[in-house]
């Protein structure tokens, strides 16, 4: 179905839904469970609209008269998640804007026109309108209240008729959770609750795999799905209906997986388009779920986690997503992130999609991750070579057919060994990475190996060497968080890194390589532009059938630990 036909059908169903008998009020209201930001609420009141990495300053305009700079910005406006921030602010100005912008939306788009009439965006909007109905209706006259209820009923019927037209995964979970909320809350809409709950359980069986993962392998997207399922389950419980077994079991499967994707600072690992997650969102979701226990042992959604002392490591130990789930896949196989206490040290550059197509492609390539990569080559097929936002050329691509990983350990360390064959077809080189974390969390040791073992691999390596007489060039990159103050020692043999907490870590290496400290970037969707950062780079050449480089990150200095630097690895409870 073409986008044009989809838009026409959405508008027709929205118009038709507007002719139905509207609800007259609430049967019940689920307790608001969304987290808003007081600071973002103040920015909204001041007319500073920051969505999807774009800032529009329009203090004298309605939210609906500004020109959205991107489709993601526009979807964020019409999804009304910003209502959480106005509710967090909660003063007279916040209430006035919540009421005016809601009524203005109804006046401008209530007949089914505009980009807000897609099932996922409408589902998101239903949740916020129902959650914050008291804020929206407080002091309003009868006509405004009737218009509000009429629009809620129209959106409910629209989502009930069109949720199957939205993409599987997060968009469909958003639509169905909104429909569950509306069916449980609004008079005359009760008939939609049970079918929505049944469909939600069915989607859980279809989209959440047996290990609690999703096809995109995006940790932040998994958290969003988990949060929606929690909200829907609690709403059903409060209404006396209860979540269906498929729904409940999906929550039970996801919780340990998310724990395995969580760093020691409480944030998520940033892979395959996902960010760290809103502060406090992960811990709140885990606490809300009521699911106790530890992290998944072994691989969780294709990721391996090491944790000891106050240090955590998360590695992407699987192939990138494929098919429809690969829309934001990254060439990050065997890349890792390292966090000490509440301070990230080694990171991925992150998703650049909010900063334009070139940044998006650059962020997905192997050089934007903390991993070994052959110079000019990306370990997965993500696009054609072209200039990137790094000022480099986007790498050529080779696709790993196999990625294997296993956990190791002894009396003084925990670790993992992983490898992939992405460089075998053209260069005959298998890549193996070994990482060890000491039990006190003060030392991380690594070993990078490129090897041609079989006769076929050695023949391919020889052919590649004929094209590269000086050896096949490669780089091992370790991208550092922007808050890390890094300096290369005068001899060029070590890098000293100081965290904001005062901790000092030192990087050293063994083997034939050149050590550099190069510029890097840190990409966050909540920022207006990429943040400047640094990266530790080891450059070398594969001359023989086996090439090996060893390295270490070692903590050289501790400082007194403040309250914000303390975090229990299993702390799911919110502070009192």
């Amino acid at each position: 179905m073409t986008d044009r036909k989809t838009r026409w059908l959405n508008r027709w169903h929205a118009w038709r839904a507007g002719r139905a008998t509207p609800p007259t009020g609430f049967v019940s209201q689920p307790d608001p469970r969304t987290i808003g930001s007081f600071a973002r609420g103040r920015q909204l009141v001041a007319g500073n609209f920051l969505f999807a990495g774009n800032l529009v300053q329009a203090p004298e305009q309605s939210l609906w008269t500004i020109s959205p700079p991107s489709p993601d910005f526009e979807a964020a406006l019409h999804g009304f998640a910003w209502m959480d921030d106005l509710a967090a602010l909660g003063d007279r100005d916040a209430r006035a804007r919540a009421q005016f912008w809601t009524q203005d939306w109804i006046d401008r788009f209530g007949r089914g026109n505009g980009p807000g009439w897609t099932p996922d965006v409408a589902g998101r909007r239903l949740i916020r309108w129902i959650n914050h109905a008291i804020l929206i209706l407080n002091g309003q006259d009868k006509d405004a209240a009737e218009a509000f209820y009429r629009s809620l009923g129209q959106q409910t019927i629209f989502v009930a008729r069109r949720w199957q037209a939205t993409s599987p995964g997060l968009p469909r979970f958003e639509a169905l959770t909104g429909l569950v909320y509306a069916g449980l809350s609004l008079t005359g809409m009760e008939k939609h609750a049970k079918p929505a709950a049944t469909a939600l359980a069915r989607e859980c069986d279809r989209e959440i795999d047996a290990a609690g993962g999703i096809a995109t392998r995006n940790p932040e997207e998994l958290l969003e799905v988990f949060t929606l399922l929690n909200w829907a389950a609690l709403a059903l419980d409060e209404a006396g209906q209860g979540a269906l077994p498929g729904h409940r079991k999906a929550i039970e499967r996801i919780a340990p997986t998310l724990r395995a994707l969580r760093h020691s600072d409480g944030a998520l690992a940033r892979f395959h388009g996902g960010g760290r997650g809103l502060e406090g969102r992960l811990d709140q979701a885990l606490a809300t779920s009521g699911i106790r226990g530890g992290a998944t042992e072994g691989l969780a959604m294709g990721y391996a986690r090491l944790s000891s002392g106050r240090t955590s490591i998360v590695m992407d130990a699987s192939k990138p997503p494929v098919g429809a789930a690969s829309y934001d896949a990254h060439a990050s196989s065997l890349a890792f992130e390292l966090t000490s206490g509440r301070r990230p040290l080694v990171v991925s550059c992150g998703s650049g999609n909010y900063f334009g197509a070139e940044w998006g492609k650059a962020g997905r390539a192997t050089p934007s991750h903390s991993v070994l990569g052959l110079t000019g080559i990306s370990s997965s097929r993500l696009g054609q070579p072209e200039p990137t936002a790094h000022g480099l050329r986007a790498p050529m691509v080779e696709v790993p057919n196999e990625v294997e990983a296993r956990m190791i350990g002894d009396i003084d360390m925990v670790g993992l060994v992983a490898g992939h064959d992405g460089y075998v077809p053209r260069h005959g080189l298998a890549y193996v990475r070994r990482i060890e974390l000491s039990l006190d969390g003060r030392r991380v040791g690594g070993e990078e190996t490129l090897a041609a073992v079989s006769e076929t691999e050695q023949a391919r390596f020889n052919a590649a060497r004929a094209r590269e007489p000086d050896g096949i060039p490669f780089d091992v990159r370790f991208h550092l968080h922007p808050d890390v103050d890094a300096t290369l020692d005068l001899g060029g043999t070590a890098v000293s890194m100081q965290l904001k907490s005062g901790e000092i870590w030192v990087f050293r290496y063994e083997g034939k390589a050149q050590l550099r400290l190069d510029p890097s970037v840190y990409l966050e969707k909540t920022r207006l532009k990429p943040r400047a950062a640094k990266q530790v780079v080891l450059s070398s050449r594969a001359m023989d059938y086996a090439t090996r480089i060893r390295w270490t990150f070692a903590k050289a200095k501790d400082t007194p630990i403040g309250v914000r630097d303390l975090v229990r690895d299993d702390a799911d409870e919110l502070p009192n």
Side-chain angles (χ1 to χ4, degrees), residues 310-437:
R310 299 176 60 246
T311 303
S312 66
I313 296 171
V314 178
M315 175 192 280
D316 182 357
S318 187
K319 294 187 291 186
V322 296
S326 67
Y327 60 88
D328 202 11
H330 286 214
S332 56
S333 296
L334 275 57
F336 76 90
E337 294 188 324
L338 166 65
T339 298
S340 176
R342 294 192 64 84
R343 305 297 173 182
L345 176 56
V346 178
V347 298
S348 303
C349 289
S351 174
N353 290 339
Y354 289 106
F355 305 104
E358 287 191 355
W359 276 113
K361 185 164 289 187
R364 297 169 69 195
T366 298
S368 294
H369 300 84
S370 296
V371 70
L372 180 149
L374 301 192
T375 303
I377 304 293
S378 195
S379 64
S380 301
R381 191 177 305 282
L382 299 177
Q384 297 301 316
E386 64 175 56
T388 75
H390 285 299
L392 307 172
R393 292 196 64 80
M396 297 172 64
V397 289
E398 297 192 11
V399 186
N401 291 316
E402 296 292 338
V403 179
E404 297 182 357
R406 61 183 176 88
M407 309 301 288
I408 59 175
D410 57 29
I411 60 173
D412 60 359
M413 69 86 177
V414 292
L416 62 97
V417 178
H420 74 64
D421 62 356
Y423 303 124
V424 169
R426 294 187 70 246
H427 296 84
L429 291 171
Y431 171 38
V432 179
R433 168 169 258 185
R434 179 186 181 99
I435 295 180
E436 298 178 359
L437 173 63

Side-chain angles (χ1 to χ4, degrees), residues 310 340 442 497-499 501-506 554-560:
R310 299 176 60 246
S340 176
R442 298 178 62 89
M497 297 155 286
Q498 182 169 349
L499 311 186
S501 63
E503 285 183 4
I504 294 177
W505 289 72
V506 177
K555 189 186 296 188
K557 177 185 176 182
D558 278 321
T559 56

Side-chain angles (χ1 to χ4, degrees), residues 221-231 250-255 258 282 284-291:
E221 185 173 314
L222 181 64
L223 172 57
E224 293 301 314
V225 170
F226 184 64
T227 299
L228 290 167
L229 295 180
N230 279 337
W231 290 349
I251 293 174
E252 294 172 358
R253 295 197 302 274
I254 294 173
L258 282 173
L282 176 55
Q284 188 201 42
L286 289 169
T288 300
S289 73
I291 307 300

